[in-house]
Amino acid sequence: QVQLVESGGGLVQAGGSLRLSCAASGRPFTTYTMGWFRQAPGKEREFVAAIKWTNGNRYYADSAKGRFTISKDTAQNMVYLQMNSLEPEDTAVYSCAAKAKEFAWSDEYDYWGQGTQVTVSS
């Protein structure tokens, strides 16, 4: 029913930039919080950033502040993650997620995309 499809991942050198996209479909998301998470091999999934459809409020993990920017296109049901000054430590599978109404720092979101690989080389 609900589908979240990520794109924009790839290989980039340290200091470079990538822009991830999440296309949301299947239902209205106007009451939802949309988030980005990442998971490196052998590590737990961690929160990166989130944005609320209703008011555009943004939330960032400490690791993302000052480097990453989350944004949305409400009319197109698109969510973006602009990642600048990338570091090898940012290498992970990045996934888009949706949570009804309330923001959460945890990974307890209702819907998940399949993820897109981001690899940052030194």
Side-chain angles (χ1 to χ4, degrees):
Q1 185 181 5
V2 172
Q3 288 188 320
L4 306 175
V5 181
E6 303 94 337
S7 62
L11 175 64
V12 65
Q13 293 185 8
S17 299
L18 286 173
R19 184 178 178 87
L20 306 183
S21 299
C22 173
S25 63
R27 67 181 299 170
F29 292 91
T30 52
T31 63
Y32 278 66
T33 299
M34 306 297 296
W36 286 98
F37 292 78
R38 67 186 184 186
Q39 186 170 26
K43 297 183 179 180
E44 296 181 348
R45 183 187 294 131
E46 65 175 344
F47 170 81
V48 178
I51 187 168
K52 289 188 66 66
W53 283 109
T54 53
N55 55 24
N57 284 352
R58 294 170 171 85
Y59 311 87
Y60 293 99
D62 289 341
S63 61
K65 291 180 179 178
R67 300 189 300 129
F68 297 178
T69 302
I70 189 170
S71 61
K72 63 181 177 67
D73 184 334
T74 301
Q76 298 295 322
N77 277 0
M78 295 288 293
V79 182
Y80 306 97
L81 184 68
Q82 177 68 45
M83 305 187 295
N84 299 326
S85 301
L86 285 163
E87 304 169 352
E89 292 75 18
D90 296 316
T91 296
V93 174
Y94 285 72
S95 299
C96 181
K99 184 178 188 298
K101 298 183 179 181
E102 301 296 332
F103 164 77
W105 294 100
S106 71
D107 62 353
E108 296 180 345
Y109 280 56
D110 300 303
Y111 306 101
W112 294 86
Q114 293 180 283
T116 184
Q117 177 70 48
V118 172
T119 302
V120 184
S121 62
S122 59

